[in-house]
Amino acid sequence: MKMIIRQIMALAALCWALASCSDDTFNREYGEGMGYLRLQLGKVDVDFSSTTRAEASSLPDELIPATADFMIDIKQGNSSVDGYPKKYSELAEGIELKAGGYTVIAYHGDNKPIQATPYFSGSSTVEIYPGKSTSTTVSAALANAMVTPAVSESLQKHYTAWSLKLMAGDSSVELANQDNTDGYLFAKADQLVNAVFEGTNLLGKETSQA
């Protein structure tokens, strides 16, 4: 029992020593105190991750957000700084931060499996030193994939009614139908998305194919 207690105490002492070393290393690298971050948003990149139509080269203007509407998150490790995220338009000219390393993230919109609107995101890493001002620019880009329908006219002629749906996990959203063939949706990047065609043919038979 005494041996176990001695081992526990030795382990606790080691953890304390490692934490102290970590703090000392941090303080030697950055120093102690407060510094300032001057943040600027760069241009919004609207290049597509993927699309089903090669001629689709840009987003409609109404889908491109103003920089003032972007949300800004400032993280140290996995935790956000108190008060963040907040709108870019609400930021002070100089953001006061404790000395240390940070990741600054700019984003706009949701990032759901399938949705009707685009999602933009960008990030930058910065180091803040006591009594000094650090500037950084974050450029945001389209971070999900735009999907447009491609249902041939020859196929449509065989159906009195039809719909084309996108499916990802538990999400299912209609992309197009016989009355709307020019729709678009946005899908989360790096996920599997399936297209399902459903319709009633000229014989009145309902069919479905993925």
Side-chain angles (χ1 to χ4, degrees):
M1 184 66 178
K2 291 182 178 179
M3 179 62 72
I4 294 175
I5 294 175
R6 284 199 295 270
Q7 290 176 343
I8 293 174
M9 292 179 65
L11 180 60
L14 177 60
C15 291
W16 180 84
L18 289 174
S20 298
C21 290
S22 177
D23 289 343
D24 290 343
T25 300
F26 178 86
N27 290 336
R28 284 197 302 271
E29 185 176 356
Y30 295 107
E32 296 180 338
M34 306 296 289
Y36 293 90
L37 171 65
R38 296 187 182 279
L39 173 64
Q40 181 176 352
L41 286 188
K43 73 167 190 173
V44 179
D45 189 350
V46 296
D47 288 342
F48 293 120
S49 299
S50 70
T51 178
T52 58
R53 270 198 287 201
E55 68 268 21
S57 58
S58 62
L59 284 177
D61 289 342
E62 62 269 19
L63 294 181
I64 302 175
T67 55
D69 294 330
F70 272 78
M71 298 297 294
I72 303 298
D73 199 3
I74 301 177
K75 288 181 173 287
Q76 192 166 48
N78 294 323
S79 301
S80 297
V81 173
D82 288 346
Y84 289 85
K86 65 171 61 174
K87 267 192 172 184
Y88 178 67
S89 59
E90 298 174 357
L91 298 182
E93 184 175 347
I95 304 168
E96 188 176 48
L97 296 169
K98 290 182 180 179
Y102 297 87
T103 300
V104 183
I105 303 168
Y107 65 93
H108 185 279
D110 297 318
N111 193 21
K112 298 177 181 178
I114 304 173
Q115 59 191 44
T117 55
Y119 171 68
F120 296 88
S121 180
S123 65
S124 176
T125 56
V126 295
E127 296 180 345
I128 303 298
Y129 293 92
K132 295 183 178 180
S133 179
T134 301
S135 297
T136 190
T137 299
V138 178
S139 295
L142 181 65
N144 54 4
M146 185 178 186
V147 184
T148 56
V151 180
S152 67
E153 291 187 7
S154 60
L155 178 61
Q156 294 180 45
K157 289 178 181 178
H158 292 281
Y159 290 84
T160 57
W162 60 269
S163 70
L164 182 65
K165 295 180 180 178
L166 292 185
M167 300 184 68
D170 296 330
S171 299
S172 175
V173 182
E174 186 177 81
L175 173 61
N177 57 44
Q178 71 278 357
D179 298 320
N180 178 23
T181 60
D182 294 322
Y184 54 80
L185 290 171
F186 294 87
K188 194 172 185 178
D190 301 323
Q191 72 170 357
L192 179 63
V193 177
N194 294 315
V196 179
F197 180 88
E198 298 175 336
T200 302
N201 63 23
L202 298 178
L203 300 177
K205 183 179 178 181
E206 293 184 356
T207 63
S208 177
Q209 54 183 315

